[in-house]
Amino acid sequence: MKIISSIEELRDQLRGQLRTAFVPTMGNLHEGHLSLMRLARKHGDPVVASIFVNRLQFGPNEDFDKYPRTFQADIEKLEKEGVYVLFAPTERDLYPEPQEFRVRPPDDLGNTLEGEFRPGFFTGVTTVVLKLFSCVQPRVAVFGKKDYQQLMIVRNMSKQFALPTEIIAAETYRADDGLALSSRNGYLTPDERAEAPRLYQTLNEVADEVRGGHLDIFDLERQAMARLAAHGWKPDYISIRKRADLQPPSAGDLAQGELLVVLAAAKLGVTRLIDNLEI
Ligand code: PAF
């Protein structure tokens, strides 16, 4: 595997490649990321991964400085997956001057759910993803459904800018007890780790209620948040949305069987976890 930090060198290395499959990451790789690499391999060749902890998508009181950085271990994992190039730019490589041009998602998609609780987050994500796409020029790029809103925003960005990159969605990779794998799980204490699967259980309970015909969405969301809070969680939201545009469903949408997804974000101790489930 070639490890490249400069944009110029990356372009030289990938010149003429028409079927590149790309997986952008922030490192601290776990099985979830590796499943994205395997899916990428099915959709293109060569597979290119990136590791870049993107300051633009972290708020002033978030965990940019303490975000886990495990570069050597990550390299070994990517080598085993047969990744051809790891693009691992420094901040100076990717942002040689302050990144003044930014991509701002539309408010209805970018300022709701995660965007409401993490202002500016999606502008940071789309700006770096567009820049990484410009460096790698992939034909396909793989994003996990774990970050459902991110996946949807990147997909819409790619479509609206007519980028030549098809966005592929990968299923969420879960531990045996249901907890979605995430780099931030490493912040959990053993007791919190034992409690953490309740988030996914709660999503399943909500989904079961909806499937069973309980369509008072607001009531379901409120009750689910209360159940989490009773076990020491601090929920930011549990929200049932339309899969198509992540807007709340109207009574008419529900009557017509619109496809739904339930999304959640909640803090356990100091760790903020997110998850979602298609209904
Ligand atoms: O999902 C992530 O790890 C990041 O948001 C991404 C897509 C690599 C952009 O920094």
Side-chain angles (χ1 to χ4, degrees):
M1 180 173 75
K2 301 212 161 42
I3 302 170
I4 296 179
S5 59
S6 106
I7 296 176
E8 287 307 299
E9 220 184 294
L10 181 78
R11 290 225 164 101
D12 285 345
Q13 187 66 42
L14 295 178
R15 202 174 307 286
Q17 297 285 3
L18 298 177
R19 296 185 58 241
T20 300
F22 177 47
V23 186
T25 81
M26 297 206 299
N28 190 234
L29 303 180
H30 48 65
E31 269 305 310
H33 294 110
L34 303 184
S35 71
L36 304 186
M37 307 296 157
R38 288 169 208 145
L39 187 60
R41 170 159 309 291
K42 289 191 185 152
H43 287 272
D45 185 38
V47 175
V48 174
S50 67
I51 294 182
F52 181 70
V53 184
N54 173 39
R55 190 185 288 274
L56 297 187
Q57 70 192 71
F58 287 79
N61 299 318
E62 294 186 350
D63 54 347
F64 176 77
D65 287 325
K66 77 167 191 160
Y67 196 85
R69 289 157 173 92
T70 51
F71 196 55
Q72 280 313 319
D74 292 348
I75 290 173
E76 283 164 30
K77 290 175 185 167
L78 293 176
E79 267 173 344
K80 282 197 190 124
E81 293 302 327
V83 168
Y84 175 63
V85 168
L86 168 59
F87 180 44
T90 63
E91 285 199 284
R92 196 186 282 233
D93 289 313
L94 203 62
Y95 301 131
E97 54 195 48
Q99 182 68 33
E100 284 165 352
F101 284 84
R102 307 251 173 139
V103 183
R104 192 168 68 79
D107 287 346
D108 57 351
L109 206 50
N111 287 348
T112 187
L113 301 166
E114 282 303 278
E116 186 183 334
F117 289 89
R118 304 183 66 188
F121 170 64
F122 287 116
T123 295
V125 169
T126 43
T127 300
V128 79
V129 168
L130 185 64
K131 192 152 188 177
L132 290 168
F133 282 6
S134 157
C135 299
V136 176
Q137 308 208 352
R139 206 199 64 73
V140 301
V142 179
F143 288 80
K145 282 192 188 177
K146 156 87 172 26
D147 297 298
Y148 204 88
Q149 192 176 4
Q150 166 174 284
L151 163 67
M152 171 139 279
I153 287 176
V154 169
R155 186 171 265 162
N156 283 8
M157 173 182 78
S158 195
K159 182 164 161 249
Q160 286 221 336
F161 283 116
L163 302 181
T165 304
E166 182 190 345
I167 307 302
I168 310 278
E171 292 304 323
T172 301
Y173 200 96
R174 298 183 182 280
D176 288 344
D177 58 11
L179 178 66
L181 295 202
S182 159
S183 298
R184 290 191 169 99
N185 293 352
Y187 299 151
L188 298 168
T189 64
D191 282 352
E192 289 166 351
R193 175 62 190 81
E195 169 62 21
R198 192 180 306 280
L199 188 61
Y200 183 52
Q201 278 164 27
T202 306
L203 291 175
N204 273 290
E205 287 159 13
V206 172
D208 286 347
E209 293 268 10
V210 173
R211 288 184 196 117
H214 184 154
L215 295 181
D216 184 342
I217 297 296
F218 181 69
D219 183 49
L220 281 176
E221 294 171 352
R222 196 178 43 78
Q223 284 186 25
M225 294 217 278
R227 287 201 298 281
L228 278 183
H231 287 90
W233 295 72
K234 291 200 183 65
D236 280 346
Y237 60 84
I238 293 189
S239 194
I240 297 165
R241 299 289 174 108
K242 291 186 280 179
R243 280 193 221 174
D245 57 7
L246 291 189
Q247 300 310 301
S250 65
D253 293 327
L254 293 171
Q256 280 165 28
E258 176 84 31
L259 291 177
L260 303 172
V261 56
V262 53
L263 306 103
K267 264 190 164 178
L268 192 52
V270 295
T271 308
R272 188 171 181 279
L273 300 178
I274 65 169
D275 202 350
N276 65 78
L277 181 63
E278 290 177 331
I279 300 178

